[in-house]
Amino acid sequence: MATIDVLLPVKNGVDFLAESLESVQAQSFRDWRLLVLDHGSTDGSAEMAARYHEQDPRIELHSFPEADGLSGLLNKGLEISDCRYVMRHDADDVCYPERMAISLAAFEHHRQCVAIGGQADVIDASGAGIGDMRMPVGPQRVGAASLFRNPIAHPTAMLDFAAVCKAGIRYGADFMGVFAQEQQMTVKNLAEDYFLFGQLGIQGKCNNVPQKLIKYRWHGNNVSAKRFDEQMKVSLQVSRYLVRAFAQMKQVPYFDPAPFCNHGGLLFEIDGRSDFSPEFARMAAAVREGFAHAPDIERELRFRKLATTRNELLLLWRYFLFQANNQPETGEWNAVRAWLIRRFPGKRRMSALLESAPA
């Protein structure tokens, strides 16, 4: 049994697979097994993984062409895992050499956590840097963020496998036990990671390390790029479900998270309204009570308060005040920027102006 089993799903990802596999081989921590989960590739991905297995038996190829979406594929991987920790890795991303060591150390310091992720550099198809991913740090911060966005970058995540088995955790499934089975939500794909981390987050069982763990590759074939609108719809459904569960678990009033979400770096347009201040007051009171007035959640609420307005100039002004005192995280500036570009006349001119604004 290896300390870490790495789950690497792939379907026709041969272009970047070699670099991805080699970044796992280059880890400073050596006690791992890499499970390549092939989802019926026809481009040579499976054959490439098989060749790497011949050179390094820690790399194993497992084919599951019948798996039901990404959730089903990852759940197949969980079923064949035998380890202390499960690490997620994608076929187009690149691990930094200390990724495993950093995540293992974090579990030693945060023993209540079931899932721990981290930060990332963002690269394009050629490997050139184009930005970074900044995620919340601290179990309470991550928990509060879970209600409005995915709080963990999935390709950076590691999970405590014993806790996964004990709680019956699976991708796409409700494992909280708050609702009766016939009322439970399932998520086959597009937001299966958000559904998993969100459930753990509202229970205080997620965290992110401040270090960058991977190079996350953004290109036109990312699922989040190809099926964006559908992913946003599912993500909002997950947010609303998580708030229902949170409200019941913590015995606080339900609130609609939609006005305050920034899934995919977007603000939602709701009934043409421009002011959600009354809704914010109710939401903030419920979140504060649910998280026992933890100081860490106030930073999360400051951004959500910024988003109570859809007035373009006021929104921009609030954002500049916000970022003067808070380091923006992934999806925050993009949400403001996307709203302004969509709403202002002269979109090209506005887009150029906003490109030069601070992230």
Side-chain angles (χ1 to χ4, degrees):
M1 180 180 79
T3 299
I4 298 172
D5 276 351
V6 182
L7 303 187
L8 190 157
V10 63
K11 183 170 185 178
N12 296 333
V14 72
D15 289 346
F16 308 114
L17 182 58
E19 186 177 10
S20 178
L21 295 173
E22 289 167 9
S23 74
V24 175
Q25 288 181 302
Q27 290 297 294
S28 62
F29 183 82
R30 307 298 295 167
D31 186 23
W32 52 263
R33 181 176 63 145
L34 173 54
L35 307 178
V36 178
L37 310 174
D38 183 63
H39 201 196
S41 295
T42 57
D43 69 342
S45 294
E47 291 79 3
M48 175 179 285
R51 290 195 297 273
Y52 273 84
H53 170 72
E54 293 174 0
Q55 304 164 9
D56 188 341
R58 295 176 299 174
I59 299 174
E60 299 180 5
L61 172 64
H62 298 270
S63 294
F64 299 107
E66 77 288 356
D68 189 6
L70 181 57
S71 291
L73 186 63
L74 291 171
N75 287 336
K76 292 286 188 182
L78 290 175
E79 289 170 10
I80 62 174
S81 293
D82 181 21
C83 55
R84 289 183 58 198
Y85 299 96
V86 170
M87 187 180 98
R88 273 286 288 111
H89 187 48
D90 279 343
D92 49 2
D93 296 336
V94 181
C95 293
Y96 284 122
E98 296 299 315
R99 175 185 177 180
M100 290 182 179
I102 291 170
S103 297
L104 290 173
F107 274 106
E108 289 298 313
H109 286 91
H110 300 278
R111 294 182 181 273
Q112 84 280 15
C113 287
V114 176
I116 294 180
Q119 317 304 314
D121 285 313
V122 182
I123 59 175
D124 63 15
S126 68
I130 55 175
D132 58 15
M133 281 188 176
R134 300 174 190 165
M135 307 302 289
V137 176
Q140 299 286 6
R141 274 282 339 270
V142 170
S146 299
L147 300 169
F148 310 104
R149 54 172 284 197
N150 191 340
I152 287 184
H154 195 191
T156 71
M158 185 181 286
L159 294 93
D160 182 326
F161 190 59
V164 167
C165 295
K166 182 177 180 180
I169 294 171
R170 289 294 184 268
Y171 283 93
D174 181 337
F175 50 81
M176 293 180 291
V178 175
F179 303 117
Q181 187 171 0
E182 63 273 14
Q183 298 176 310
Q184 292 178 2
M185 183 179 188
T186 58
V187 181
K188 286 188 177 182
N189 52 34
L190 297 178
E192 71 290 327
D193 55 334
Y194 175 36
F195 194 38
L196 189 154
F197 298 133
Q199 291 179 73
L200 292 173
I202 62 175
Q203 298 179 73
K205 297 180 179 179
C206 280
N207 199 4
N208 287 304
V209 298
Q211 298 95 326
K212 291 181 177 180
L213 301 180
I214 68 168
K215 295 179 183 179
Y216 173 79
R217 197 182 304 269
W218 178 258
H219 52 89
N221 290 324
N222 295 84
V223 172
S224 50
K226 295 168 68 175
R227 300 176 65 183
F228 184 79
D229 290 345
E230 188 180 353
Q231 187 177 47
M232 294 305 97
K233 180 180 179 180
V234 176
S235 295
L236 181 55
Q237 291 171 347
V238 172
S239 282
R240 285 172 165 159
Y241 188 84
L242 291 174
V243 172
R244 281 180 54 215
F246 175 77
Q248 188 156 323
M249 290 165 54
K250 304 295 185 178
Q251 293 298 291
V252 298
Y254 173 82
F255 58 86
D256 185 4
F260 315 106
C261 289
N262 58 318
H263 296 300
L266 289 181
L267 298 176
F268 291 105
E269 183 166 5
I270 302 171
D271 300 329
R273 292 181 55 191
S274 62
D275 180 37
F276 297 94
S277 298
E279 288 84 353
F280 174 81
R282 292 192 291 271
M283 177 274 286
V287 171
R288 287 185 176 114
E289 184 177 348
F291 286 102
H293 297 272
D296 287 357
I297 69 168
E298 293 303 318
R299 190 271 178 213
E300 190 66 31
L301 291 177
R302 284 194 291 274
F303 179 76
R304 305 304 151 188
K305 186 173 184 178
L306 173 161
T308 58
T309 183
R310 296 298 191 269
N311 175 279
E312 292 83 4
L313 292 178
L314 181 56
L315 180 63
L316 183 60
W317 175 246
R318 284 184 177 181
Y319 179 80
F320 278 106
L321 292 178
F322 170 81
Q323 61 87 36
N325 297 295
N326 303 273
Q327 183 180 54
E329 293 172 351
T330 294
E332 292 180 340
W333 167 239
N334 285 344
V336 173
R337 175 180 176 273
W339 182 264
L340 298 175
I341 291 173
R342 180 172 61 174
R343 301 289 293 179
F344 263 103
K347 291 183 180 180
R348 289 185 181 178
R349 200 166 59 249
M350 175 57 63
S351 180
L353 171 65
L354 297 173
E355 287 290 356
S356 64

